[in-house]
Amino acid sequence: MKGIHPGILLERELMQRKIPKGKFALSINEYPQTINAIIKGKRSMNTPLAIRIEDALGLQEGFFMTLQIYYDIEQIKKQKSLNVHPDKLKFRPALFWDTKLGAIDWNRQRRPVIQRVFERGNYTEKRDN
């Protein structure tokens, strides 16, 4: 469950218990808009709210904050990895004849790209990237 926004699990928990979001929010002295924003992933879970939610639902203390921390870590890793990729201009278009270089997701397709460069690339492409 690492990397999952806590709002997803909160929504699932409320649905399983058949508790309307608005009524639940009011029962824990919170604005319905806040709970809705958390469920949609537009807002982070804060510690006091997480404790109130966990108490109301009878969940283990710290459950939602742990999820939030792992989610935040995952977002930082994604942001950090967006900046790490080879220079596309150094590749010959013929090396990636079957796809557009701009469409390659370097983070998800790193291994196949490296494999193709080492199998079909010239000396310069192998050395520079």
Side-chain angles (χ1 to χ4, degrees):
M1 294 195 321
K2 290 183 178 180
I4 295 175
H5 192 277
I8 294 170
L9 292 177
L10 174 59
E11 182 178 34
R12 183 188 305 169
E13 193 67 32
L14 293 175
M15 285 175 56
Q16 285 177 347
R17 296 177 187 218
K18 298 178 182 171
I19 302 172
K21 296 176 223 173
K23 283 185 179 182
F24 177 73
L26 295 174
S27 73
I28 60 169
N29 296 323
E30 191 58 62
Y31 293 108
Q33 297 91 329
T34 303
I35 298 297
N36 223 10
I38 290 171
I39 286 173
K40 289 182 179 181
K42 295 181 179 182
R43 185 174 178 158
S44 297
M45 181 89 60
N46 62 48
T47 307
L49 178 58
I51 291 172
R52 290 197 320 256
I53 291 171
E54 292 158 355
D55 286 344
L57 296 175
L59 298 173
Q60 182 180 356
E61 192 175 88
F63 176 73
F64 282 115
M65 282 314 300
T66 304
L67 285 176
Q68 184 65 54
I69 290 167
Y70 279 124
Y71 178 77
D72 292 344
I73 290 169
E74 193 65 32
Q75 295 306 305
I76 290 169
K77 283 182 180 178
K78 282 181 183 178
Q79 196 65 23
K80 189 177 172 183
S81 68
L82 289 176
N83 300 328
V84 179
H85 56 77
D87 183 9
K88 294 183 246 181
L89 298 175
K90 291 183 180 181
F91 293 132
R92 292 173 293 130
L95 188 59
F96 293 95
W97 73 93
D98 56 344
T99 187
K100 294 180 183 177
L101 280 175
I104 295 174
D105 181 358
W106 298 107
N107 299 319
R108 297 173 113 195
Q109 298 168 327
R110 180 177 297 143
R111 286 184 184 199
V113 168
I114 292 170
Q115 182 178 354
R116 184 175 287 197
V117 169
F118 278 104
E119 287 175 355
R120 300 182 180 142
N122 60 31
Y123 174 76
T124 307
E125 290 166 334
K126 291 177 187 177
R127 186 193 67 215
D128 291 345
N129 294 305

